[in-house]
Amino acid sequence: MMDSSALDAIKQKIVRNVVIPDFDFSKQEFQILATIRYDPNFTHVFASQELVETDDDFSSQLDPQLTSLMDSSSFLQQSDDSVGKDDFLEYLDYNDTSNSSVLSSPISGIFDMSSSGVFHRDPVLQGLYETANYSVKAGASQGQSQSPGEDESTDASLWSIYYNRFFLLGEHYKRLKLALDFFQWPLALTPKVFLTQLVHSLPVQGSMSIEDKMRALLNVNVSYKMRVLVSKDGNMKIEAHELPRFPGYFPDTHEYIVRNLLSGFLDGEPTWDVYINTEPINVSPFTTFKTTKREHYNKARENMEQLKRDIPDQRPKSEILVYNNLYQLMEGSITNVAVKSQVGADSDAVRYTTPYLASGCLCGVTRYFLLRKGLLQEDAIDIRDLHLGDEIILFNGIMGCVKGVIRNSVDFSGV
């Protein structure tokens, strides 16, 4: 737990910008929630969706810039109290990168998938990524055990592999610690313990050590939504829910991540219907932080089901936009959002704008990642300026980014 002066600084920042000052959260019954994507495809290339042999030599084409703002060694070496006030305030101050440990221009190199014939040249993604290759040694094929002391570097590589299989794990940990300290809940949680508990929660037959479990799962191509629940008494529960595979074949992890988790930025038709809620919601710690207290979002989704009845040719998936009492766009009921707009009347360039944290939106880890990578900018967005047919990007830590389009109009003429 951080010291009281540091915690006061965090609370002051959040209350001033986001939370209703007299909101009494101490009497509320809820759990702090995190949902994290576990995906073996982030570190493997599974040919034709089949298991592959490693021959004791594991090669990955993972681009570190695509997965995290913190590398595995930095993450695993942290202690429970090593994340301090400045780290949390930096997490909240997305626009202030002058003192950030992240490079001021973290995106470099040439993004060029044209040789594969898969992508159109999208100006948003041109110059975005430089594929970085690195190799790690698996140490054992699936099911093969390793004698103690055989190769300590192998175990270190295993930890690095599994750190990268949990999408944005470093940022999930930082947000979880921020929520725990904000609500003053007693849970001492080091990064390595957090990763250990996540791996132990992955389904596998038999009881085994953490390293043996990592080896047993190394070639298993099944992705999971990890649902982390922390209660007021400091207990933590983790559920693993199997996710459907993304369709198609991907020759490397770079293409897998871009085509699936960043697909909302690529050329193509919207895949989600988006609706505008018909009433505002109140800003509170339960919009800023991810918790199980979701009555406001559940009500919005009930409204969405009513709005859908009047819409022909519905897409299979849908989301609803919520806004605060000042008619500022906040987010979706299960996603953070960004609005697409033209940079100029005579330009083909576009920008994607996401609401300020001060709107009351969730301080989402994918939102933070996209902002720090330069794919989004922040601004206040008046919900009354959004119209039927406007394009929206929806994103969260499980599905990545998808493209949606607004399907309804709301009459705000009386406000």
Side-chain angles (χ1 to χ4, degrees):
M1 196 68 81
M2 67 175 67
D3 63 71
S4 58
S5 62
L7 182 58
D8 286 344
I10 298 295
K11 285 188 173 182
Q12 205 172 55
K13 172 72 178 177
I14 296 174
V15 169
R16 182 175 69 249
N17 285 344
V18 180
V19 180
I20 298 173
D22 59 354
F23 193 96
D24 186 2
F25 59 81
S26 63
K27 298 179 181 179
Q28 307 294 321
E29 292 297 326
F30 63 97
Q31 292 175 295
I32 296 172
L33 176 65
T35 52
I36 307 171
R37 184 182 184 90
Y38 169 80
D39 197 329
N41 292 281
F42 292 156
T43 56
H44 273 65
V45 177
F46 291 97
S48 302
Q49 301 295 342
E50 300 295 333
L51 299 184
V52 296
E53 296 295 332
T54 63
D55 295 326
D56 293 348
D57 189 14
F58 173 83
S59 178
S60 171
Q61 294 174 311
L62 175 69
D63 183 342
Q65 293 192 110
L66 290 174
T67 58
S68 187
L69 301 171
M70 182 190 303
D71 63 42
S72 60
S73 59
S74 299
F75 176 78
L76 294 170
Q77 290 171 7
Q78 289 186 90
S79 63
D80 178 56
D81 57 358
S82 63
V83 180
K85 176 185 72 173
D86 291 341
D87 296 293
F88 285 134
L89 289 175
E90 185 269 341
Y91 187 84
L92 297 174
D93 284 328
Y94 298 112
N95 282 328
D96 182 11
T97 59
S98 58
N99 296 318
S100 172
S101 61
V102 180
L103 296 176
S104 58
S105 299
I107 298 170
S108 61
I110 302 300
F111 176 81
D112 185 1
M113 301 294 291
S114 57
S115 60
S116 67
V118 174
F119 299 111
H120 296 291
R121 298 287 293 177
D122 189 309
V124 175
L125 291 175
Q126 287 184 23
L128 185 58
Y129 296 115
E130 180 180 51
T131 302
N133 298 326
Y134 67 92
S135 297
V136 294
K137 190 170 182 62
S141 59
Q142 184 177 353
Q144 179 182 341
S145 61
Q146 180 182 10
S147 301
E150 179 182 338
D151 187 353
E152 293 183 3
S153 65
T154 298
D155 285 348
S157 295
L158 281 172
W159 284 99
S160 178
I161 289 168
Y162 279 85
Y163 169 77
N164 285 310
R165 286 186 172 191
F166 291 96
F167 186 52
L168 300 175
L169 182 57
E171 285 68 60
H172 278 288
Y173 174 79
K174 187 182 291 187
R175 187 182 68 179
L176 181 59
K177 288 291 295 178
L178 175 59
L180 286 168
D181 283 326
F182 180 84
F183 292 117
Q184 301 184 56
W185 285 9
L187 177 63
L189 187 67
T190 67
K192 192 163 187 177
V193 167
F194 189 37
L195 178 54
T196 299
Q197 294 303 315
L198 286 167
V199 174
H200 271 311
S201 299
L202 293 169
V204 69
Q205 291 184 348
S207 176
M208 58 188 74
S209 70
I210 184 66
E211 285 84 5
D212 284 343
K213 185 165 188 177
M214 288 176 175
R215 294 187 192 96
L217 289 168
L218 193 61
N219 285 334
V220 178
N221 185 15
V222 180
S223 299
Y224 292 95
K225 172 183 176 180
M226 309 302 294
R227 192 167 185 262
V228 182
L229 296 156
V230 181
S231 58
K232 188 181 298 185
D233 58 7
N235 289 323
M236 184 171 67
K237 174 185 177 183
I238 303 178
E239 304 167 354
H241 302 274
E242 187 172 338
L243 293 171
R245 290 179 179 175
F246 290 119
Y249 166 70
F250 308 96
D252 56 57
T253 56
H254 176 76
E255 182 175 341
Y256 176 85
I257 291 171
V258 171
R259 185 167 181 176
N260 293 309
L261 295 188
L262 295 177
S263 64
F265 291 98
L266 298 173
D267 289 343
E269 291 298 315
T271 57
W272 285 53
D273 287 336
V274 180
Y275 299 87
I276 300 173
N277 202 11
T278 55
E279 57 187 6
I281 67 171
N282 292 323
V283 173
S284 79
F286 305 113
T287 62
T288 303
F289 295 109
K290 195 177 184 74
T291 74
T292 57
K293 190 170 180 61
R294 291 184 47 84
E295 293 89 346
H296 42 296
Y297 298 121
N298 294 339
K299 184 177 180 181
R301 293 193 69 81
E302 290 173 2
N303 291 343
M304 179 182 71
E305 294 302 318
Q306 295 291 327
L307 294 169
K308 288 169 63 174
R309 295 180 178 180
D310 299 326
I311 304 299
D313 303 322
Q314 296 176 23
R315 294 174 176 85
K317 296 183 179 181
S318 55
E319 173 63 300
I320 187 163
L321 304 180
V322 298
Y323 50 93
N324 61 29
N325 290 301
L326 298 177
Y327 296 93
Q328 296 172 333
L329 173 64
M330 296 167 60
E331 57 193 334
S333 62
I334 57 173
T335 60
N336 282 110
V337 303
V339 177
K340 180 180 179 180
S341 61
Q342 297 295 126
V343 173
D346 300 324
S347 172
D348 292 332
V350 298
R351 67 163 59 95
Y352 295 91
T353 306
T354 195
Y356 284 122
L357 186 64
S359 71
C361 71
L362 176 75
C363 53
V365 296
T366 305
R367 175 185 183 276
Y368 178 67
F369 168 75
L370 295 173
L371 282 166
R372 298 305 298 272
K373 294 303 184 184
L375 287 173
L376 304 180
Q377 67 176 29
E378 287 181 303
D379 205 347
I381 302 172
D382 194 316
I383 194 69
R384 294 166 293 189
D385 293 335
L386 300 185
H387 305 288
L388 185 71
D390 286 352
E391 192 172 296
I392 303 290
I393 299 289
L394 311 169
F395 43 91
N396 61 34
I398 300 299
M399 70 180 187
C401 308
V402 298
K403 187 178 299 184
V405 62
I406 294 180
R407 298 297 305 274
N408 74 314
S409 299
V410 178
D411 183 6
F412 292 111
S413 59
V415 299

